[in-house]
Amino acid sequence: MTAPVATSRRNFLKAGWKLGATILAAAAGWTVYESLRPLGGSGKGGPIKLGSTATYAAGTATYVPEGRLFVANTGTTILAISQKCPHLGCRVPFCDSSGRFECPCHGSIFDIGGEWIEGPSPVGMTQYPVTADVDGALVVDTSKEIAGPPRGANQYFSPPKGPNCQPKG
Ligand code: FES
């Protein structure tokens, strides 16, 4: 009489594990999809306050989710760079170890100024104008796109700081 109960408990636990694994797989799939899916538009929202220049250390790119852009300090210039890859629109993260933008979709690489270095992207990354308001705080206008620099611009090019984040294809 106890065997059916044990079998029932075993089946219940098996079903629980399967359900848990399915939920985990769905969550992982959604996370990958969200991080790689092409973006429809970018910015288009108008001005966004970025704060003081001192907030952005030289050689870093800080993500601003409100504008779906990065504020990059090249060491000489503060730039607002769209996260949307000029190739097919994937989200391009900044790789802290290499100091470059590396597209996970097809391998385009851009320097800290968003200039094309390698890969299928036809141009560098789109930018937005950055100005200072009356208090001296930086403001980016996401309603005005600046076309990415042509290949070979190389104004901000420097050798990689370290290893790439994306594997070389
Ligand atoms: S979408 Fe970035 S390289 Fe293709």
Side-chain angles (χ1 to χ4, degrees):
M1 291 301 275
T2 56
V5 173
T7 302
S8 171
R9 182 185 298 153
R10 191 175 303 127
N11 287 342
F12 176 76
L13 289 174
K14 265 189 195 171
W17 279 109
K18 281 182 184 170
L19 178 64
T22 302
I23 290 171
L24 274 177
W30 181 257
T31 301
V32 169
Y33 169 75
E34 271 299 306
S35 65
L36 295 180
R37 76 179 165 90
L39 299 169
S42 61
K44 308 280 192 236
I48 298 172
K49 290 197 171 210
L50 300 174
S52 163
T53 306
T55 309
Y56 306 100
T60 65
T62 305
Y63 186 61
V64 179
E66 194 180 348
R68 297 196 279 176
L69 56 83
F70 289 89
V71 177
N73 183 343
T74 66
T76 57
T77 310
I78 299 282
L79 300 170
I81 300 174
S82 170
Q83 69 172 350
K84 184 178 174 183
C85 184
H87 181 223
L88 293 178
C90 286
R91 298 171 188 220
V92 185
F94 183 74
C95 174
D96 287 323
S97 63
S98 69
R100 293 174 163 183
F101 293 95
E102 300 176 12
C103 185
C105 290
H106 313 104
S108 285
I109 296 178
F110 309 88
D111 64 24
I112 193 166
E115 298 170 322
W116 176 88
I117 294 176
E118 67 180 69
S121 179
V123 293
M125 299 168 80
T126 300
Q127 298 179 18
Y128 303 103
V130 178
T131 55
D133 67 11
V134 288
D135 302 323
L138 299 173
V139 178
V140 58
D141 186 351
T142 59
S143 69
K144 296 177 182 156
E145 289 187 351
I146 302 169
R151 285 184 172 197
N154 291 342
Q155 186 178 353
Y156 304 107
F157 178 85
S158 63
K161 290 192 317 191
N164 286 17
C165 294
Q166 300 294 331
K168 290 270 190 177

